[in-house]
Amino acid sequence: MTDMLTRGDINAFCATLPFATHVVQWGNSDVWKVGGKLFAVCGWYGGKPAVTFKASPIAFEVLPDMGGIRPAPYFASRGMKWLQDTRDPGLPSSELKTHIIHSHAMPSRPSPRKSAHNWGCDPL
């Protein structure tokens, strides 16, 4: 795949997202957070770069049917909707960026109860 993002490309992209912070942990993985909540991890799978991100329930069900996408080890085994793109062949660049953007937005969304209160609606 000619448009495949490298680990450096993924890190550079994550750095452009609002309020994103970066730490290196878990065996030299690039860990990206927003508001102290994880949204992406650039690490390794089988000696090759891989990126892990939070997914919507639909994406979590559909994307593993594609080559190079699997439920993320550790996260998915604990019932969380996280996927790992092993970059072989993985998602096209634009699609991967879209999933990372959605993952970035997920931790910062207010709960439905809080959101309803903020808009002057009756709580759910």
Side-chain angles (χ1 to χ4, degrees):
M1 178 176 288
T2 58
D3 76 337
M4 185 167 62
L5 296 172
T6 66
R7 184 173 174 166
D9 295 335
I10 294 164
N11 282 324
F13 176 72
C14 289
T16 68
L17 298 175
F19 307 107
T21 59
H22 173 258
V23 295
V24 176
Q25 61 188 72
W26 302 329
N28 203 28
S29 292
D30 292 297
V31 177
W32 290 94
K33 299 178 183 183
V34 61
K37 305 276 186 168
L38 189 66
F39 75 88
V41 178
C42 292
W44 304 100
Y45 172 74
K48 295 181 181 179
V51 62
T52 302
F53 55 91
K54 190 182 291 190
S56 71
I58 291 172
F60 187 79
E61 294 300 320
V62 173
L63 291 181
D65 291 338
M66 298 177 64
I69 310 291
R70 67 184 188 148
Y74 182 80
F75 296 107
S77 67
R78 284 154 180 76
M80 295 181 262
K81 305 285 189 216
W82 283 78
L83 293 172
Q84 184 177 66
D85 183 328
T86 62
R87 314 304 302 135
D88 188 24
L91 294 167
S93 297
S94 61
E95 222 177 302
L96 179 58
K97 286 179 179 180
T98 298
H99 285 287
I100 291 172
I101 289 168
H102 288 293
S103 182
H104 172 268
M106 285 184 205
S108 60
R109 287 187 187 147
S111 69
R113 177 172 290 245
K114 192 175 222 178
S115 180
H117 176 72
N118 289 342
W119 288 99
C121 303
D122 291 330
L124 300 175

